[in-house]
Amino acid sequence: MSAPHVSLPGPTHFPHLPQLPPPDQLTSPLTGWTRAHWEAIADRLLDALLPYASPGLAQYRLPGPPSHSGPWSDGLEGFARSFLLAAFRIAGSGGQQPGLIDRYAAGLAAGTDPRGPDRWPPITDRGQPMVEAASLAIALHETRPWIWDRLDDRVRQRIADWLGGFVGAVVNDSNWRLFQVIAEEFLASVGAPHSRREIEDGLARLEDWYRGDGWYTDGDGRKFDYYNAWALHLYPVLWARIAGPRADPGPVAAHRARLRRFLHDHQHFFGADGGPVHQGRSLTYRFATTAPLWAGALADATPLPPGRTRRLASGALKHFAERGVPDEQGLLTLGWYGPFLPVTQRYSGPASPYWASKAFLGLLLPADHPVWTAPEEPGPVESADVRLALPAPGWLLHSTAADGIVRLVNHGSDRLPPPPAQAQDSPHYARFAYSSATAPETPPAPHTGPDNHIALLAPDGTPTPRGRIHPLGIEGARAASWHRALLPGSGEGHRIETVSVVHGPWEVRVHRVDAPAGTPVREGGWAVADDTAPPTPRTGPGLALARRTDGLTSALVGLHGWSDDEGTVVAAVGGNAYGHHSATPLLTLPSHPGGTHLLVTLVVLSADPAVHAQVEGTRVRSGGDGGVEIRFPDGTRESVAP
């Protein structure tokens, strides 16, 4: 696309962060942010926690609904995750943070006192303290000269005893295996009892989940999301730092090579406004999406120029700061921008968002490191349109420089265990597409949003879920998969096969839909959301679109197989992480003819006025053999075989 860059606007002031340093346009011409901004945000986050500290400083009981593990575990979570942030701040300043050192040393002593009122819950099989133990171990290692080495021998022994609950314990077979690796490697580093076999087995299990090109699934199945970034790549780097000369150089080299390959892809997941693509679980960790960028620089395992690393990371942190993160009290809430519980899970407690502390890993790099001193370089989305096939997770990414939006077409990640596990639906995994400018609709269960989904409608209007995704491959501009639509009483269900073809801002979906005669079929486009006003709808025969006040537009056009009925736009309130008011364009085929029916749809998300003017310019032609010829508005042609 040749249109000028018109990235989505956002606020440029920070009334909730009055202490931010002035911008530096010389070394940071794109964000204005420097290391000093990162330090200021870190200090604001840590200072804001003090009113919620327990008397012994070993727990932080933050406001909000408890996790399923309960307030005791949540209090430990507040300490451990903020200690991780404090550790990066302490180590990054060469120990010039006496207040933080004393504060967290006191908490370590109180939390491990088995008879004290501030004691931590023990590490037990599959218990949440396992997660927090890994953060504690990392923080203890990184601050060793200033905290561990100065602790009383009795306190050190109590810490080792508490972490030792990992030895012989049963761990969830997912990224949790790496928590055990980290904790027990720290125990080894201080001469405490540990199991070398458990460390080696955890690292070996990681090999089972590697799918190539830098991508891991988080446990068996097709579980691709940001855990690939902030866990499965991050912890091996941190483990190698703890293990030092004990680490087998073979796995260390393999992990570094995979991280380097992953960052080639991961850099494309940030929009021009800094926002990450909104996909997957635990999204309340927000800017933790930047952790592998810093890890690559820390481990000398990145293909990115140092100025681009900082631009992407600072852009993401600034993106959230511009939108009220942290909040007026300096706290990270359970949500994306403001509080929004639908992006959380049962394990999410009030302190869970502080896994965002991983984003501050870059503070371990010295102030004169090139990632802090080199001039910022534009991210990929700012330089040119990108189309990137990601066969391992089953994704096809396409971004546009004209509006700075990244779109991720999903034909592979459903976060389901292998069969015969039940095929459930999740709005953060089952949609056909995700982006850096939108979030999926998340109405209260058991309802599901209509956005980026095609469904058969039951007699009562209930849509069928997508469920388990069966990838059919990715090549060039296209990605394909199929799923079974389960109508009540339909037995094995009805196959819906979909091919997505992308070009610039455009996506054409070619559906081959099997259904009983008379069944209604519905497809939804992107949901756009805004806090200030409801998006404006526009409909016509085979057309529906919703436009935000800043110009961000979602459009849906029926190209083949749909009726001439008017499209619709469904509005919602309180069901989208990007804004209180949301709207989704819809097309409906009132009556499927029976057998397999071909439906072709143009799906558009854009903030570029030039695209809006061409939204009805795509044409398709269906051959007698079921093949489809597509002509995009700029004349580019693609074909989809029968």
Side-chain angles (χ1 to χ4, degrees), residues 424-427 431 441-450 453 460-466 522:
Q424 300 175 337
D425 223 12
S426 165
R431 297 292 175 259
E441 292 285 89
T442 48
H447 304 288
T448 184
H453 179 52
D460 65 355
T462 301
T464 56
R466 190 179 185 192
R522 186 188 72 191

Side-chain angles (χ1 to χ4, degrees), residues 405-450:
I405 295 176
V406 180
R407 308 160 190 80
L408 190 70
V409 178
N410 175 33
H411 285 276
S413 182
D414 54 24
R415 194 164 175 77
L416 294 173
Q422 184 178 0
Q424 300 175 337
D425 223 12
S426 165
H428 293 102
Y429 291 95
R431 297 292 175 259
F432 276 109
Y434 300 91
S435 87
S436 61
T438 64
E441 292 285 89
T442 48
H447 304 288
T448 184

Side-chain angles (χ1 to χ4, degrees), residues 14 21-38 272 294 306-318 322 367 369-379 382:
F14 311 90
D24 180 348
Q25 300 298 344
L26 183 62
T27 59
S28 299
L30 298 168
T31 69
W33 279 34
T34 65
R35 183 186 179 97
H37 290 80
W38 284 83
W294 296 119
R308 187 181 304 165
T309 292
R310 189 173 80 257
R311 186 273 176 272
L312 294 172
S314 291
L317 185 63
K318 184 179 181 182
E322 287 178 327
H369 190 283
V371 295
W372 292 118
T373 61
E376 285 183 336
E377 297 186 25
E382 297 172 279

